[in-house]
């Protein structure tokens, strides 16, 4: 539960601190740092947000104000790469909790009308690849598997069944190549590349390499899986239903994060914003998930700490090690 009253009070005191220090001719950096400190301390004391969530605020706010770079902020947790991976895990948990990924999958699968086995296999692979660009391969496969089993149980074709299941497995693996957060090995590569080449690879630069590879590998995989595939009778797909406000808001936050990642190559050139990195953007999306309510009357945020803390922490410790 989010206490929006205490959140507003802490925000007001933070803004007041910034204004007072600015009036007394303190520099922007001093005023901004003090305001962030007051906001964080206020939220810690009132627990308007979960304490671990409040602790993420400086990682976003200090680079946003140009006080320190995102790399310096992330050094408190070891590396910007670890922070990015942690934020990506938490964002994916928000998507999974809302069911947005399942709704997206069913909406796309409806395009097949359940008539063509080749189209059906291709759509399962495409949906798995697209979802795996943003959430882990394992989570994608676990989500798609029950849908696939419900579909293939309606006809008696072992060849089509095998093709559908392999399309999910290979589609998720291939799709993970497209973005830096698609799969943990991408994050490891980014870290090694930055240390070796002495320069960071942006989200856009990665996608410009990874996405073409996916666009080549996916059709090759589908050609092999659908070659001489027998036809199947019409199958019934689960109903999609109407989008809820909760799902729309989760999707909106995630799209905002993606847009910020893609456009950072342009707005990141401004002096006031060049301290922000991909990890800062991801953590900003995480904070929005914890603050924005599910709907107008709900006091429950899009994401709660009990859900967020179920991310694979062991994976983060492994990469940090």
């Amino acid at each position: 539960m989010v206490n929006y009253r205490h959140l507003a009070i802490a925000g007001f005191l933070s803004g007041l601190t910034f204004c007072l220090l600015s009036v007394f001719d303190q520099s922007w950096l001093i005023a901004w740092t003090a305001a962030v400190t007051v906001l964080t301390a206020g939220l810690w004391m009132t627990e308007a947000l979960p304490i671990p969530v409040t602790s993420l605020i400086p990682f976003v706010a200090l680079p946003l104000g140009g006080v320190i770079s995102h790399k310096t902020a992330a050094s408190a947790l070891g590396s910007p790469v670890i922070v990015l991976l942690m934020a990506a895990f938490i964002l994916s948990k928000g998507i999974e909790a809302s069911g947005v990924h399942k709704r997206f999958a069913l909406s796309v699968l409806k395009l097949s009308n359940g008539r063509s086995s080749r189209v059906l296999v291709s759509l399962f692979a495409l949906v798995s690849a697209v979802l795996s660009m943003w959430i882990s391969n394992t989570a994608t496969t676990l989500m798609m598997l029950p849908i696939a089993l419900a579909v293939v149980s309606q006809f008696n074709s072992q060849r089509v069944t095998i093709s559908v299941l392999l399309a999910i497995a290979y589609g998720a693996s291939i799709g993970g190549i497209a973005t830096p957060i698609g799969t943990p090995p991408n994050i490891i590569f980014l870290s090694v590349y930055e240390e070796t080449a002495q320069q960071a690879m942006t989200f856009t630069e990665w996608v410009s390499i990874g996405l073409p590879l996916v666009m080549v590998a996916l059709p090759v995989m589908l050609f092999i899986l659908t070659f001489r595939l027998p036809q199947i009778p019409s199958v019934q797909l689960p109903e999609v239903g109407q989008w809820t406000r909760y799902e729309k808001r989760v999707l909106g936050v995630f799209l905002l994060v993606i847009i910020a990642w893609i456009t950072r190559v342009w707005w990141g050139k401004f002096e006031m914003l060049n301290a922000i990195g991909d990890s800062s953007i991801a953590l900003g999306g995480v904070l929005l998930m914890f603050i924005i309510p599910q709907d107008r009357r709900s006091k429950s945020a899009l994401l709660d700490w009990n859900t967020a803390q179920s991310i694979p922490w062991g994976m983060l410790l492994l990469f940090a090690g």
Side-chain angles (χ1 to χ4, degrees), residues 175-204:
I177 300 172
T179 66
I181 65 170
T183 182
N186 297 356
I187 304 289
I188 297 176
F189 172 81
L190 284 177
S191 177
V192 175
Y193 177 82
E194 186 171 348
E195 291 179 7
T196 306
Q198 296 299 310
Q199 64 178 16
M201 180 179 288
T202 66
F203 186 90
T204 308

Side-chain angles (χ1 to χ4, degrees):
M1 299 289 288
V2 180
N3 191 319
Y4 290 101
R5 181 183 178 184
H6 290 165
L7 185 63
I9 292 173
F12 172 77
L13 292 176
S14 174
L16 183 62
T17 301
F18 180 84
C19 293
L20 286 175
L21 289 175
S22 298
V23 168
F24 286 101
D25 295 327
Q26 296 298 320
S27 68
W28 162 275
L29 297 182
I30 291 176
W32 185 268
T33 303
V36 172
T37 303
V38 170
L39 176 63
T40 306
L43 294 179
W44 270 335
M45 288 187 290
T46 61
E47 296 189 38
L49 295 173
I51 289 177
V53 176
T54 300
S55 305
L56 297 176
I57 291 176
F59 291 94
V60 180
L62 294 179
L64 182 63
V67 179
I68 55 177
S69 70
H70 70 100
K71 293 181 181 179
T72 304
S75 65
L77 290 177
S79 165
V81 174
I82 301 299
V83 176
L84 176 60
L85 187 59
M86 178 184 69
F89 280 155
I90 296 177
L91 282 173
S92 67
K93 280 294 179 182
I95 293 175
E96 292 173 34
S98 67
V100 166
H101 59 328
K102 185 174 182 179
R103 184 176 295 278
F104 169 77
L106 290 174
S107 298
V108 176
L109 290 173
K110 284 285 185 181
L111 299 175
S112 71
N113 292 322
R115 296 174 183 173
S116 170
S117 58
R118 290 184 177 180
V119 173
L120 191 66
V121 171
S122 299
L123 287 177
F124 267 109
L126 179 63
V127 170
S128 300
V130 172
L131 289 175
S132 189
M133 293 178 186
W134 313 107
I135 62 179
S136 73
N137 300 349
T138 305
T140 299
T141 305
L142 289 175
M143 187 275 297
M144 293 296 294
L145 193 58
I147 301 174
L149 293 176
V151 170
V152 298
S153 65
Q154 300 180 43
F155 52 81
N156 186 22
S157 175
Q158 187 179 22
R159 172 75 190 283
V160 176
T161 299
I162 292 173
S163 295
V164 167
L165 297 178
L166 289 178
I168 294 173
Y170 289 128
S173 297
I174 293 172
I177 300 172
T179 66
I181 65 170
T183 182
N186 297 356
I187 304 289
I188 297 176
F189 172 81
L190 284 177
S191 177
V192 175
Y193 177 82
E194 186 171 348
E195 291 179 7
T196 306
Q198 296 299 310
Q199 64 178 16
M201 180 179 288
T202 66
F203 186 90
T204 308
E205 289 173 336
W206 179 283
V207 172
S208 67
I209 299 172
L211 191 58
L213 287 174
V214 173
M215 295 175 68
V216 171
L218 203 60
V220 172
M221 180 266 289
L222 286 174
F223 174 78
I224 296 172
L225 289 182
T226 61
F227 184 70
R228 293 184 178 179
L229 200 64
Q231 286 302 311
I232 55 174
S234 180
V235 296
Q236 186 69 30
L237 292 170
E239 290 298 323
V240 179
Q242 295 293 322
W243 282 78
T244 64
R245 193 178 298 274
Y246 173 30
E247 293 167 337
K248 289 178 181 178
R249 290 184 177 186
V250 169
L251 184 61
V253 170
F254 198 70
L255 290 177
L256 184 64
V257 170
I258 294 172
I259 292 171
W261 273 333
I262 294 173
T263 57
R264 187 170 75 88
V265 67
W266 295 292
W267 55 259
K269 295 178 181 178
F270 292 98
E271 186 175 353
M272 285 293 297
L273 300 174
N274 59 14
I276 300 174
D278 289 339
S279 59
S280 309
I281 295 170
L283 284 178
V286 169
L287 288 174
L288 287 177
M289 288 266 198
F290 280 108
I291 294 173
I292 297 174
Q294 294 182 7
D295 53 53
R296 294 175 183 174
R297 299 180 179 179
S298 176
K299 290 186 178 181
S300 298
L302 300 178
L303 182 62
D304 60 77
W305 182 244
N306 286 334
T307 302
Q309 68 180 352
S310 63
I311 67 171
W313 294 100
M315 191 77 73
L316 291 175
L317 294 176
L318 172 64
F319 293 146

